[in-house]
Amino acid sequence: METNDKKIIIAIDGFSSSGKSTMAKELAKQIGYRYIDSGAMYRAVTLYALEHGMISDNGIVDAAALTAALDDIDIDFKPGADGQHTLLNGRDVESEIRTLRVSSNVSPVAVIPAVRHALVAKQQAFGKGRGIVMDGRDIGTTVFPDAELKIYVNAPAETRARRRWLELREKGDTETTYEQVLENVMSRDHIDMTREESPLRRADDAVDLDNSDMTIAQQNEWLLNQFRKAAGM
Ligand code: DC
């Protein structure tokens, strides 16, 4: 698609399993912008902490040690055949950061103020030239309060749990019940909304999206229209 010269910043925030990464990635591809998955950055720091013995078996994070190590952690992205890959100190960690081990340790890492400050600064640096689509929890509120387009994806927990459960079944998991997935989704929602540092919060000037009854194609079309309006096309 043709874009005009004025590059903007697009911030997409929302709960886990809301489909925001899928739509953010697709939009970035269509309009030729860079896509940054901010959640992947928190996941990469978590992997570093796990690999350096900074998280105990019962999930306690040594925040002081991790804070002291932040200057040694470099996170970047590189394009791969199957989408973007996350690099941790130059190493491709794209699949490792999606494992259950990282998923179940990332919440306590993401509440450490020094971690958030370092990653927010890095995210802001990625957006310096604008022309970026970034998804996360605090992008429209903390990272880019001046983003030209902010989307808040707000599908109910039941919708997101059903999606996630169907995805697990497609991957061959026949053990996990829908109720277990719903409980996990609701508990992560609670952590995301109630943490002190940058909780998930709708920016006042965000556009709401409840994509419960939308197909992926409809969702992409809706987002593209929002982009055209925001970019003055
Ligand atoms: O979107 P995700 O599941 O990959 O995010 C991983 C974790 O990082 C999740 O616990 C929420 C946290 N996160 C955050 O605190 N701030 C962001 N901007 C993005 C993710």
Side-chain angles (χ1 to χ4, degrees), residues 12-17 20-21 37-43 46 97-98 102-103 105-111 116 119-120 123 134-139 143 188 191-192 195 197-200:
I12 304 185
D13 288 304
F15 290 111
S16 61
S17 305
K20 60 185 186 322
S21 318
D37 174 354
S38 69
M41 299 171 73
Y42 289 94
R43 289 172 179 272
T46 305
I97 59 168
R98 311 287 165 193
V102 170
S103 298
N105 283 288
V106 63
S107 287
V109 169
V111 299
R116 297 207 72 85
L119 293 189
V120 167
Q123 289 151 10
M134 191 177 290
D135 72 343
R137 306 290 192 286
D138 60 341
I139 311 305
V143 183
R188 283 202 287 167
I191 295 175
D192 277 350
R195 68 166 180 237
E197 267 294 308
S198 291
L200 171 64

Short mmCIF file of all heavy atoms in Angstrom, two decimals, residues 12-17 20-21 37-43 46 97-98 102-103 105-111 116 119-120 123 134-139 143 188 191-192 195 197-200, ligand 1:
data_model
loop_
_atom_site.label_atom_id
_atom_site.label_comp_id
_atom_site.label_asym_id
_atom_site.label_seq_id
_atom_site.Cartn_x
_atom_site.Cartn_y
_atom_site.Cartn_z
N ILE A 12 -0.47 -0.06 20.10
CA ILE A 12 -1.59 -1.00 20.27
C ILE A 12 -1.44 -1.67 21.63
O ILE A 12 -0.50 -2.43 21.88
CB ILE A 12 -1.60 -2.06 19.14
CG1 ILE A 12 -1.66 -1.34 17.78
CG2 ILE A 12 -2.78 -3.02 19.32
CD1 ILE A 12 -1.81 -2.25 16.59
N ASP A 13 -2.35 -1.35 22.54
CA ASP A 13 -2.28 -1.92 23.88
C ASP A 13 -3.47 -2.84 24.13
O ASP A 13 -4.54 -2.66 23.55
CB ASP A 13 -2.28 -0.80 24.93
CG ASP A 13 -0.95 -0.06 24.94
OD1 ASP A 13 0.09 -0.71 25.12
OD2 ASP A 13 -0.95 1.18 24.74
N GLY A 14 -3.28 -3.77 25.03
CA GLY A 14 -4.39 -4.65 25.38
C GLY A 14 -3.91 -5.82 26.20
O GLY A 14 -2.71 -6.00 26.43
N PHE A 15 -4.89 -6.61 26.64
CA PHE A 15 -4.62 -7.78 27.47
C PHE A 15 -3.89 -8.86 26.68
O PHE A 15 -3.82 -8.79 25.45
CB PHE A 15 -5.94 -8.36 27.95
CG PHE A 15 -6.65 -7.51 28.95
CD1 PHE A 15 -7.83 -6.87 28.62
CD2 PHE A 15 -6.14 -7.34 30.23
CE1 PHE A 15 -8.51 -6.10 29.54
CE2 PHE A 15 -6.81 -6.57 31.15
CZ PHE A 15 -7.99 -5.95 30.81
N SER A 16 -3.42 -9.87 27.40
CA SER A 16 -2.81 -11.01 26.71
C SER A 16 -3.87 -11.75 25.90
O SER A 16 -5.05 -11.71 26.24
CB SER A 16 -2.17 -11.95 27.74
OG SER A 16 -3.16 -12.43 28.61
N SER A 17 -3.42 -12.40 24.85
CA SER A 17 -4.30 -13.18 23.96
C SER A 17 -5.46 -12.37 23.38
O SER A 17 -6.53 -12.90 23.14
CB SER A 17 -4.89 -14.41 24.67
OG SER A 17 -3.87 -15.19 25.21
N LYS A 20 -3.63 -8.76 19.61
CA LYS A 20 -3.01 -7.49 19.23
C LYS A 20 -1.70 -7.67 18.44
O LYS A 20 -1.45 -6.90 17.53
CB LYS A 20 -2.82 -6.56 20.43
CG LYS A 20 -1.95 -7.10 21.52
CD LYS A 20 -1.96 -6.13 22.67
CE LYS A 20 -1.00 -6.50 23.77
NZ LYS A 20 -0.82 -7.91 24.10
N SER A 21 -0.92 -8.69 18.77
CA SER A 21 0.33 -8.88 18.02
C SER A 21 0.04 -9.25 16.57
O SER A 21 0.70 -8.75 15.66
CB SER A 21 1.20 -9.98 18.61
OG SER A 21 1.21 -9.91 19.98
N ASP A 37 7.60 -5.74 19.10
CA ASP A 37 6.83 -6.49 20.09
C ASP A 37 7.45 -6.18 21.46
O ASP A 37 8.48 -6.76 21.81
CB ASP A 37 6.96 -7.97 19.71
CG ASP A 37 6.34 -8.91 20.73
OD1 ASP A 37 5.91 -8.44 21.79
OD2 ASP A 37 6.32 -10.11 20.44
N SER A 38 6.85 -5.27 22.21
CA SER A 38 7.49 -4.88 23.47
C SER A 38 7.46 -6.02 24.48
O SER A 38 8.36 -6.12 25.33
CB SER A 38 6.84 -3.62 24.05
OG SER A 38 5.54 -3.88 24.48
N GLY A 39 6.45 -6.88 24.40
CA GLY A 39 6.38 -8.03 25.31
C GLY A 39 7.60 -8.93 25.13
O GLY A 39 8.12 -9.50 26.10
N ALA A 40 8.09 -9.04 23.88
CA ALA A 40 9.26 -9.89 23.60
C ALA A 40 10.48 -9.36 24.35
O ALA A 40 11.36 -10.12 24.75
CB ALA A 40 9.54 -9.92 22.09
N MET A 41 10.53 -8.04 24.55
CA MET A 41 11.67 -7.45 25.25
C MET A 41 11.65 -7.84 26.74
O MET A 41 12.69 -8.16 27.32
CB MET A 41 11.66 -5.93 25.06
CG MET A 41 11.76 -5.55 23.58
SD MET A 41 11.49 -3.79 23.24
CE MET A 41 13.00 -3.08 23.85
N TYR A 42 10.45 -7.81 27.34
CA TYR A 42 10.34 -8.25 28.75
C TYR A 42 10.66 -9.74 28.85
O TYR A 42 11.28 -10.20 29.82
CB TYR A 42 8.94 -7.93 29.30
CG TYR A 42 8.77 -6.45 29.51
CD1 TYR A 42 8.18 -5.65 28.51
CD2 TYR A 42 9.24 -5.82 30.65
CE1 TYR A 42 8.07 -4.28 28.66
CE2 TYR A 42 9.14 -4.44 30.82
CZ TYR A 42 8.55 -3.68 29.82
OH TYR A 42 8.45 -2.32 29.97
N ARG A 43 10.24 -10.49 27.83
CA ARG A 43 10.53 -11.93 27.82
C ARG A 43 12.03 -12.19 27.70
O ARG A 43 12.58 -13.08 28.35
CB ARG A 43 9.79 -12.61 26.66
CG ARG A 43 8.28 -12.69 26.88
CD ARG A 43 7.55 -13.18 25.64
NE ARG A 43 6.13 -13.28 25.89
CZ ARG A 43 5.54 -14.36 26.40
NH1 ARG A 43 6.24 -15.44 26.66
NH2 ARG A 43 4.24 -14.35 26.64
N THR A 46 13.75 -11.63 30.91
CA THR A 46 13.42 -12.75 31.80
C THR A 46 14.30 -13.96 31.49
O THR A 46 14.82 -14.62 32.40
CB THR A 46 11.93 -13.12 31.65
OG1 THR A 46 11.15 -11.95 31.89
CG2 THR A 46 11.52 -14.23 32.60
N ILE A 97 11.99 -17.55 24.15
CA ILE A 97 11.21 -16.59 24.95
C ILE A 97 9.72 -16.91 24.96
O ILE A 97 8.98 -16.31 25.72
CB ILE A 97 11.43 -15.12 24.51
CG1 ILE A 97 11.03 -14.91 23.05
CG2 ILE A 97 12.86 -14.67 24.78
CD1 ILE A 97 10.95 -13.43 22.65
N ARG A 98 9.29 -17.85 24.11
CA ARG A 98 7.86 -18.22 24.08
C ARG A 98 7.57 -19.46 24.92
O ARG A 98 6.44 -19.94 24.94
CB ARG A 98 7.39 -18.49 22.63
CG ARG A 98 7.77 -17.42 21.63
CD ARG A 98 6.96 -16.16 21.77
NE ARG A 98 7.58 -15.04 21.04
CZ ARG A 98 7.22 -13.77 21.18
NH1 ARG A 98 6.27 -13.44 22.03
NH2 ARG A 98 7.82 -12.83 20.50
N VAL A 102 9.58 -19.23 30.45
CA VAL A 102 9.70 -17.77 30.39
C VAL A 102 8.34 -17.13 30.69
O VAL A 102 8.24 -16.21 31.51
CB VAL A 102 10.26 -17.31 29.03
CG1 VAL A 102 10.15 -15.79 28.87
CG2 VAL A 102 11.72 -17.75 28.87
N SER A 103 7.28 -17.65 30.07
CA SER A 103 5.94 -17.07 30.29
C SER A 103 5.58 -17.03 31.77
O SER A 103 4.99 -16.06 32.24
CB SER A 103 4.86 -17.89 29.58
OG SER A 103 5.08 -17.87 28.21
N ASN A 105 7.55 -16.77 34.30
CA ASN A 105 8.43 -15.94 35.14
C ASN A 105 8.46 -14.47 34.74
O ASN A 105 9.09 -13.66 35.41
CB ASN A 105 9.86 -16.50 35.10
CG ASN A 105 10.01 -17.74 35.96
OD1 ASN A 105 10.01 -17.64 37.20
ND2 ASN A 105 10.10 -18.89 35.35
N VAL A 106 7.79 -14.13 33.66
CA VAL A 106 7.93 -12.77 33.13
C VAL A 106 7.20 -11.71 33.98
O VAL A 106 7.69 -10.58 34.12
CB VAL A 106 7.55 -12.70 31.62
CG1 VAL A 106 6.12 -13.05 31.37
CG2 VAL A 106 7.88 -11.36 31.01
N SER A 107 6.06 -12.06 34.58
CA SER A 107 5.30 -11.04 35.33
C SER A 107 6.13 -10.37 36.43
O SER A 107 6.18 -9.14 36.49
CB SER A 107 4.04 -11.63 35.94
OG SER A 107 3.10 -11.85 34.93
N PRO A 108 6.81 -11.14 37.32
CA PRO A 108 7.60 -10.47 38.36
C PRO A 108 8.80 -9.69 37.81
O PRO A 108 9.26 -8.74 38.45
CB PRO A 108 8.07 -11.61 39.26
CG PRO A 108 7.87 -12.86 38.50
CD PRO A 108 6.76 -12.60 37.53
N VAL A 109 9.29 -10.05 36.63
CA VAL A 109 10.40 -9.28 36.03
C VAL A 109 9.86 -7.95 35.50
O VAL A 109 10.48 -6.89 35.67
CB VAL A 109 11.09 -10.09 34.90
CG1 VAL A 109 12.05 -9.22 34.10
CG2 VAL A 109 11.82 -11.30 35.49
N ALA A 110 8.65 -8.01 34.91
CA ALA A 110 8.07 -6.80 34.30
C ALA A 110 7.60 -5.76 35.32
O ALA A 110 7.22 -4.66 34.93
CB ALA A 110 6.92 -7.19 33.36
N VAL A 111 7.62 -6.11 36.61
CA VAL A 111 7.22 -5.09 37.61
C VAL A 111 8.44 -4.38 38.22
O VAL A 111 8.28 -3.45 39.00
CB VAL A 111 6.35 -5.67 38.76
CG1 VAL A 111 5.06 -6.24 38.22
CG2 VAL A 111 7.11 -6.70 39.56
N ARG A 116 11.73 -1.76 33.71
CA ARG A 116 10.77 -0.99 32.89
C ARG A 116 11.43 0.28 32.35
O ARG A 116 11.27 0.61 31.18
CB ARG A 116 9.53 -0.62 33.69
CG ARG A 116 8.72 -1.81 34.17
CD ARG A 116 7.25 -1.45 34.35
NE ARG A 116 6.60 -1.28 33.06
CZ ARG A 116 6.08 -2.28 32.35
NH1 ARG A 116 6.10 -3.51 32.79
NH2 ARG A 116 5.52 -2.03 31.18
N LEU A 119 13.76 -0.61 29.47
CA LEU A 119 13.08 -1.06 28.25
C LEU A 119 12.24 0.05 27.62
O LEU A 119 12.19 0.16 26.39
CB LEU A 119 12.23 -2.30 28.52
CG LEU A 119 13.04 -3.56 28.88
CD1 LEU A 119 12.15 -4.80 28.91
CD2 LEU A 119 14.20 -3.80 27.89
N VAL A 120 11.65 0.90 28.44
CA VAL A 120 10.88 2.02 27.88
C VAL A 120 11.83 2.94 27.09
O VAL A 120 11.51 3.37 25.98
CB VAL A 120 10.11 2.79 28.99
CG1 VAL A 120 9.59 4.13 28.48
CG2 VAL A 120 8.96 1.95 29.52
N GLN A 123 12.55 1.31 23.86
CA GLN A 123 11.38 1.36 22.98
C GLN A 123 11.23 2.75 22.36
O GLN A 123 10.92 2.89 21.19
CB GLN A 123 10.10 0.97 23.77
CG GLN A 123 10.06 -0.51 24.12
CD GLN A 123 9.30 -0.84 25.39
OE1 GLN A 123 8.62 0.01 25.97
NE2 GLN A 123 9.41 -2.07 25.85
N MET A 134 3.94 -0.51 17.53
CA MET A 134 4.43 -1.21 18.73
C MET A 134 3.24 -1.70 19.55
O MET A 134 2.28 -0.97 19.74
CB MET A 134 5.30 -0.28 19.58
CG MET A 134 6.04 -1.02 20.68
SD MET A 134 7.14 0.05 21.64
CE MET A 134 8.42 0.42 20.48
N ASP A 135 3.31 -2.95 20.00
CA ASP A 135 2.22 -3.43 20.85
C ASP A 135 2.72 -3.76 22.24
O ASP A 135 3.91 -4.02 22.45
CB ASP A 135 1.47 -4.61 20.20
CG ASP A 135 2.28 -5.89 20.20
OD1 ASP A 135 3.50 -5.82 20.39
OD2 ASP A 135 1.69 -6.96 19.99
N GLY A 136 1.81 -3.66 23.22
CA GLY A 136 2.19 -3.92 24.60
C GLY A 136 1.07 -3.60 25.56
O GLY A 136 -0.12 -3.84 25.27
N ARG A 137 1.46 -3.07 26.72
CA ARG A 137 0.46 -2.75 27.75
C ARG A 137 0.43 -1.25 28.06
O ARG A 137 -0.55 -0.73 28.52
CB ARG A 137 0.81 -3.48 29.06
CG ARG A 137 1.00 -4.97 28.96
CD ARG A 137 -0.32 -5.65 28.68
NE ARG A 137 -0.24 -7.10 28.85
CZ ARG A 137 0.36 -7.93 27.99
NH1 ARG A 137 0.92 -7.46 26.91
NH2 ARG A 137 0.37 -9.23 28.21
N ASP A 138 1.58 -0.60 27.87
CA ASP A 138 1.73 0.80 28.31
C ASP A 138 2.27 1.68 27.18
O ASP A 138 2.90 2.69 27.45
CB ASP A 138 2.70 0.86 29.50
CG ASP A 138 4.08 0.32 29.15
OD1 ASP A 138 4.20 -0.42 28.16
OD2 ASP A 138 5.05 0.64 29.86
N ILE A 139 2.06 1.25 25.94
CA ILE A 139 2.68 1.97 24.83
C ILE A 139 2.00 3.33 24.62
O ILE A 139 2.68 4.35 24.48
CB ILE A 139 2.65 1.12 23.52
CG1 ILE A 139 3.18 -0.30 23.79
CG2 ILE A 139 3.45 1.79 22.41
CD1 ILE A 139 4.56 -0.38 24.41
N VAL A 143 5.03 4.88 26.97
CA VAL A 143 6.14 4.87 26.01
C VAL A 143 5.97 5.98 24.98
O VAL A 143 6.88 6.78 24.76
CB VAL A 143 6.27 3.48 25.32
CG1 VAL A 143 7.47 3.47 24.38
CG2 VAL A 143 6.42 2.38 26.36
N ARG A 188 -3.71 -13.27 34.81
CA ARG A 188 -2.75 -12.37 34.15
C ARG A 188 -3.34 -10.97 33.96
O ARG A 188 -2.65 -9.97 34.10
CB ARG A 188 -2.29 -12.97 32.82
CG ARG A 188 -1.28 -14.09 33.02
CD ARG A 188 -0.46 -14.33 31.81
NE ARG A 188 -1.25 -14.98 30.77
CZ ARG A 188 -0.86 -15.09 29.51
NH1 ARG A 188 0.28 -14.56 29.13
NH2 ARG A 188 -1.61 -15.71 28.63
N ILE A 191 -2.94 -9.17 37.24
CA ILE A 191 -1.55 -8.70 37.47
C ILE A 191 -1.26 -7.49 36.58
O ILE A 191 -0.73 -6.47 37.04
CB ILE A 191 -0.53 -9.83 37.18
CG1 ILE A 191 -0.70 -10.97 38.18
CG2 ILE A 191 0.91 -9.28 37.22
CD1 ILE A 191 0.17 -12.19 37.91
N ASP A 192 -1.66 -7.57 35.31
CA ASP A 192 -1.40 -6.47 34.37
C ASP A 192 -2.07 -5.16 34.81
O ASP A 192 -1.52 -4.09 34.62
CB ASP A 192 -1.93 -6.82 32.97
CG ASP A 192 -0.95 -7.68 32.17
OD1 ASP A 192 0.19 -7.84 32.62
OD2 ASP A 192 -1.35 -8.17 31.10
N ARG A 195 -0.60 -3.84 38.83
CA ARG A 195 0.79 -3.57 39.23
C ARG A 195 1.01 -2.06 39.32
O ARG A 195 0.33 -1.28 38.65
CB ARG A 195 1.77 -4.22 38.26
CG ARG A 195 1.74 -3.61 36.89
CD ARG A 195 2.94 -4.04 36.08
NE ARG A 195 2.84 -3.40 34.80
CZ ARG A 195 2.82 -4.03 33.64
NH1 ARG A 195 2.92 -5.33 33.60
NH2 ARG A 195 2.72 -3.36 32.53
N GLU A 197 3.87 -0.21 38.67
CA GLU A 197 4.59 0.42 37.55
C GLU A 197 3.82 0.21 36.25
O GLU A 197 3.58 -0.93 35.85
CB GLU A 197 5.95 -0.27 37.38
CG GLU A 197 7.12 0.33 38.11
CD GLU A 197 7.51 1.72 37.63
OE1 GLU A 197 7.72 1.93 36.44
OE2 GLU A 197 7.63 2.60 38.51
N SER A 198 3.43 1.27 35.57
CA SER A 198 2.81 1.18 34.26
C SER A 198 1.77 0.07 34.11
O SER A 198 1.95 -0.85 33.32
CB SER A 198 3.87 0.95 33.18
OG SER A 198 4.65 2.07 33.02
N PRO A 199 0.69 0.12 34.88
CA PRO A 199 -0.33 -0.91 34.70
C PRO A 199 -1.01 -0.76 33.33
O PRO A 199 -0.90 0.30 32.71
CB PRO A 199 -1.34 -0.59 35.81
CG PRO A 199 -1.13 0.84 36.12
CD PRO A 199 0.31 1.13 35.85
N LEU A 200 -1.67 -1.82 32.89
CA LEU A 200 -2.43 -1.73 31.63
C LEU A 200 -3.58 -0.76 31.86
O LEU A 200 -4.41 -0.95 32.74
CB LEU A 200 -2.97 -3.10 31.23
CG LEU A 200 -3.96 -3.10 30.06
CD1 LEU A 200 -3.29 -2.64 28.78
CD2 LEU A 200 -4.55 -4.48 29.85
O1 DC B 1 2.45 -9.62 25.45
P1 DC B 1 3.29 -10.71 26.11
O2 DC B 1 2.49 -11.82 26.73
O3 DC B 1 4.38 -11.23 25.25
O4 DC B 1 4.01 -9.96 27.33
C1 DC B 1 4.88 -10.63 28.18
C2 DC B 1 4.86 -9.99 29.56
O5 DC B 1 5.42 -8.69 29.54
C3 DC B 1 3.50 -9.86 30.23
O6 DC B 1 3.64 -10.32 31.57
C4 DC B 1 3.19 -8.40 30.25
C5 DC B 1 4.55 -7.75 30.15
N1 DC B 1 4.54 -6.54 29.33
C6 DC B 1 4.61 -5.35 29.97
O7 DC B 1 4.61 -5.32 31.20
N2 DC B 1 4.65 -4.18 29.26
C7 DC B 1 4.62 -4.22 27.92
N3 DC B 1 4.67 -3.07 27.24
C8 DC B 1 4.54 -5.46 27.25
C9 DC B 1 4.50 -6.61 27.98
#
